[in-house]
Amino acid sequence: MTYTNCITVYRGNEIPKIPYKKKRDCYQQLNDYMLQETPPIGKICAIYGLRRTGKSVMMLQCIDEMSEVQRSKSVYLLCQQGCDMYQLRLILDSLLKEGIRNFFIDEITEVEDFQVYGNILSDGYTLKGAKIAIAGTDSLGIRLAGMDILYDRMVIIHTSRISYAEFSRLLDGKGIEQYIEYGGTLTDSQYKTIQARDDYVNTAIVTNILHSLEKNEEVRNYHPVLTELYENKELVSVLNKMINKYSYYVTLKAINKCFKSAPLYSTIHNMDGQFAVENIDAEKVNLATKKALHIRNLDEMETSLKPDDLDELKTYLKELDLFLQIPCYKSLSKMQRDRDLEIVTQPGMIYAHASELMKVLSADEYWSETCEIDDRKEFKKRADNFVKGILLENIILSETYIWLQSIDAERYYVSQLSTILPESMQQVEADLVIVDTETEEAHLFEIKFSDQQVEEQTKHLQNSKFIAYVDQNFGKVKSKTVIYNGADAEAFGIKYQNAETFLCRIHEMKLDKKVELERLIALPENVSRTTEKSVKKIKKEMGPKL
């Protein structure tokens, strides 16, 4: 091991061994790049993602799996704060003379002028037979370089998005509830406390963006970088508000759902009227909640940043693969747009903050009195289930969208649908809509964080006027399914499919680059089926409770 000007060089047996044998799905991309017989001239490999998504581990796994011959030609370089490209070049030149050809450069964003001179790696060293893989904590810096000096010079491997199936496989079979609570990184502890969550947001995202912009200052030729225009304190505050907005939105939506459904659930579960909220004014509840949580209008923000600069910050959050923007239509056939959906791809980040907001509410006397909450503990429990339900919707929607976009973005439409039927003025919705525009067929889904089959869950799927609306505006309805936490079944004439099964099938088809919608929603042959006769029997036995 050698230490040279803030860069540590590991070779041979000095290269750190890691205990992790399971690999990310994207690992093969790195392996394919490094094991090419002919080095790719003009291309380096960039492992790009947030902290704790497996970037460094992938590098070390790749070295560990190499043959003895290839390993002898490999080095792992760890850059530290204060180094520059000149120092890195001196080391690379020396190693090339020794016969080293495989370079794994970690924490490349610590190199002060990487965004200025990083193209030396692709334009110079690959011509000399070098294969170079880079990664760094301030991953936006790599992305900014990829938009400028390294444009079309990088094979990019994205690590930030970790699907449910991959999370479960890598973390020894953890289920969907654990994914909702901790999903987003390769650990089950990152979001366990609000402090841990805030620390991660500030280091992995906020500092990532600001450090990357600061190092981008001398690259920009046409207009100044945001870090030159505004105080860091202001930028940190705005970025945190942008991220936290999603948690506030989920919390407000969950509380609204809780109040709307509480009478139904208290009746079903014979709660003896613990939630007598039928007459609670929804707007009154919203105002009380916003006051307790100090929430302004979620689309407004007190800041000195200009609208264009706010949009620029939002673009950087997208570039970090932090959230998806999904187009939404009221009518696909008439091209009538609705407001786009925005989904944070790290459910644990949202859940940790939403849980903290629920604690704040439960401790607020004014809020409890205004909303007439008698049993705070029970209400908090129910609201938590609704938060998880909203996040489950987001997980299924985003994974379905990413899968079908990767196969054929033009052919498949994936979104949600919420509208008012023009004739009856009924509010109707589907949590997930998949449309095959070639066959002109639509598949409708309700998504529930529950392991129970309740007929109320199928009301929109059973609504003939809603089905007719979808037939006319999206495509002939081919299937109707409730995705939930229970076993695969058929009840009330509707398919019930397990959420984990659904997500695993999507993941499998994404890896295979296939689309088999019928297999996606297929139920086992021996599945439990509730007949019309048995439904009537259940209703009779439940009597007025239903």
Side-chain angles (χ1 to χ4, degrees):
M1 186 189 310
T2 58
Y3 299 86
T4 310
N5 299 319
C6 302
I7 299 174
T8 309
V9 181
Y10 298 88
R11 64 184 85 200
N13 294 330
E14 299 169 345
I15 297 173
K17 296 288 184 181
I18 54 166
Y20 309 110
K21 298 302 179 185
K22 294 179 180 178
K23 298 178 179 64
R24 289 291 312 267
D25 291 335
C26 55
Y27 168 80
Q28 194 59 44
Q29 294 174 252
L30 173 62
N31 196 55
D32 290 345
Y33 171 86
M34 296 305 297
L35 294 184
Q36 295 176 85
E37 288 187 16
T38 304
I41 295 175
K43 292 271 189 180
I44 64 173
C45 181
I47 308 172
Y48 174 77
L50 296 176
R51 284 176 59 210
R52 298 188 182 177
T53 56
K55 301 185 298 296
S56 299
V57 170
M58 281 173 59
M59 283 184 164
L60 296 173
Q61 285 176 328
C62 188
I63 297 171
D64 190 54
E65 291 211 339
M66 285 180 169
S67 67
E68 287 295 332
V69 173
Q70 286 298 323
R71 198 178 303 132
S72 68
K73 297 179 182 179
S74 303
V75 290
Y76 174 77
L77 280 66
L78 183 61
C79 303
Q80 298 167 39
Q81 192 172 7
C83 62
D84 58 31
M85 283 300 297
Y86 176 72
Q87 294 166 336
L88 180 59
R89 285 181 64 190
L90 289 178
I91 293 172
L92 295 179
D93 289 341
S94 175
L95 291 169
L96 274 171
K97 289 177 182 177
E98 294 178 25
I100 301 299
R101 292 296 179 267
N102 304 319
F103 297 89
F104 295 82
I105 309 175
D106 208 352
E107 298 302 347
I108 188 70
T109 51
E110 292 292 354
V111 177
E112 293 294 337
D113 49 358
F114 166 69
Q115 292 187 49
V116 185
Y117 303 115
N119 60 322
I120 292 170
L121 299 176
S122 59
D123 297 351
Y125 290 97
T126 60
L127 291 173
K128 299 176 183 179
K131 288 177 279 189
I132 300 173
I134 64 172
T137 297
D138 297 334
S139 52
L140 182 64
I142 295 175
R143 187 70 181 121
L144 292 174
M147 296 175 181
D148 193 1
I149 58 165
L150 284 170
Y151 180 76
D152 200 32
R153 292 175 170 90
M154 295 194 301
V155 175
I156 301 177
I157 300 174
H158 293 262
T159 66
S160 289
R161 289 175 184 155
I162 304 169
S163 69
Y164 161 71
E166 188 174 12
F167 175 87
S168 181
R169 175 177 64 80
L170 294 173
L171 295 180
D172 301 321
K174 292 193 179 295
I176 190 65
E177 189 161 8
Q178 286 74 35
Y179 183 68
I180 290 170
E181 293 177 355
Y182 312 127
T185 63
L186 294 176
T187 170
D188 60 358
S189 61
Q190 188 60 64
Y191 296 128
K192 272 194 173 178
T193 66
I194 190 64
Q195 181 63 48
R197 180 262 186 197
D198 289 347
D199 287 346
Y200 184 81
V201 168
N202 283 313
T203 56
I205 300 169
V206 177
T207 304
N208 182 342
I209 291 174
L210 297 186
H211 281 182
S212 299
L213 290 178
E214 286 167 357
K215 291 174 181 176
N216 190 244
E217 288 175 5
E218 57 184 296
V219 180
R220 291 289 184 98
N221 297 318
Y222 305 108
H223 61 86
V225 180
L226 294 181
T227 46
E228 296 176 288
L229 297 176
Y230 303 101
E231 294 288 336
N232 263 26
K233 185 177 179 181
E234 172 80 347
L235 293 171
V236 168
S237 174
V238 170
L239 283 167
N240 271 289
K241 286 176 182 176
M242 282 182 166
I243 296 165
N244 291 340
K245 178 183 84 170
Y246 298 99
S247 309
Y248 284 119
Y249 173 76
V250 167
T251 303
L252 286 170
K253 188 175 178 181
I255 288 170
N256 273 305
K257 284 193 171 191
C258 200
F259 271 99
K260 288 176 182 178
S261 62
L264 169 69
Y265 278 96
S266 64
T267 304
I268 291 176
H269 298 293
N270 197 20
M271 298 296 291
D272 297 326
Q274 286 186 34
F275 297 98
V277 296
E278 293 94 330
N279 299 317
I280 292 288
D281 185 347
E283 186 59 30
K284 185 179 177 183
V285 171
N286 278 335
L287 289 173
T289 303
K290 288 181 178 181
K291 182 174 181 179
L293 298 178
H294 306 288
I295 301 175
R296 294 172 57 81
N297 187 322
L298 290 179
D299 292 322
E300 295 178 0
M301 192 177 296
E302 283 188 15
T303 177
S304 62
L305 269 71
K306 297 176 182 177
D308 286 350
D309 295 333
L310 285 171
D311 288 341
E312 186 175 333
L313 280 183
K314 193 170 183 181
T315 298
Y316 294 143
L317 292 174
K318 286 183 183 177
E319 291 295 342
L320 289 174
D321 295 331
L322 186 62
F323 70 88
L324 279 177
Q325 190 158 345
I326 300 177
C328 192
Y329 286 82
K330 292 281 188 184
S331 171
L332 195 58
S333 61
K334 299 174 184 176
M335 299 303 289
Q336 183 182 347
R337 288 293 292 261
D338 199 355
R339 186 172 182 174
D340 287 353
L341 304 172
E342 290 182 349
I343 296 175
V344 173
T345 56
Q346 296 228 345
M349 182 184 296
I350 300 301
Y351 178 75
H353 191 213
S355 295
E356 184 65 20
L357 295 177
M358 290 299 181
K359 290 179 185 177
V360 172
L361 287 178
S362 63
D364 190 284
E365 294 291 342
Y366 168 78
W367 182 80
S368 295
E369 290 176 7
T370 303
C371 301
E372 300 178 24
I373 304 297
D374 294 326
D375 189 333
R376 298 187 196 186
K377 185 177 179 181
E378 186 63 30
F379 187 87
K380 184 182 169 186
K381 179 181 176 183
R382 293 180 182 279
D384 181 71
N385 275 338
F386 279 109
V387 167
K388 288 177 177 173
I390 294 166
L391 292 177
L392 180 61
E393 289 177 22
N394 290 348
I395 290 164
I396 290 174
L397 178 58
S398 61
E399 292 202 19
T400 306
Y401 178 80
I402 291 169
W403 161 50
L404 289 174
Q405 283 285 299
S406 70
I407 302 295
D408 191 335
E410 295 296 322
R411 176 173 178 174
Y412 297 103
Y413 169 78
V414 177
S415 195
Q416 288 184 334
L417 173 60
S418 179
T419 191
I420 296 175
L421 297 177
E423 295 181 2
S424 62
M425 300 306 290
Q426 284 181 291
Q427 177 73 42
V428 290
E429 61 185 41
D431 296 324
L432 171 65
V433 179
I434 301 175
V435 179
D436 183 339
T437 59
E438 280 193 12
T439 62
E440 297 183 341
E441 293 175 339
H443 303 264
L444 303 182
F445 301 84
E446 283 290 317
I447 301 170
K448 305 297 177 185
F449 187 77
S450 167
D451 60 2
Q452 301 298 308
Q453 299 162 17
V454 181
E455 191 169 15
E456 177 73 12
Q457 298 164 340
T458 69
K459 65 179 182 180
H460 296 301
L461 301 178
Q462 306 254 35
N463 187 326
S464 59
K465 292 181 180 178
F466 178 45
I467 301 304
Y469 177 88
V470 176
D471 285 343
Q472 184 178 353
N473 291 278
F474 291 88
K476 184 69 176 176
V477 175
K478 177 81 171 178
S479 69
K480 299 176 285 184
T481 307
V482 174
I483 302 173
Y484 78 137
N485 293 339
D488 289 350
E490 188 174 306
F492 320 109
I494 300 293
K495 290 181 179 180
Y496 272 74
Q497 188 170 26
N498 179 264
E500 294 179 1
T501 300
F502 185 87
L503 289 168
C504 287
R505 285 180 182 174
I506 281 179
H507 184 68
E508 181 184 333
M509 290 185 200
K510 182 174 182 290
L511 293 180
D512 292 341
K513 298 181 180 180
K514 292 180 179 179
V515 177
E516 298 175 359
L517 293 178
E518 288 190 7
R519 184 166 78 87
L520 176 66
I521 57 175
L523 299 180
E525 290 184 5
N526 60 345
V527 75
S528 168
R529 286 180 167 81
T530 304
T531 63
E532 185 178 348
K533 185 177 180 180
S534 59
V535 170
K536 289 180 179 179
K537 182 180 178 182
I538 292 170
K539 287 184 176 181
K540 185 176 181 181
E541 289 174 352
M542 294 294 289
K545 292 180 183 178
L546 272 174

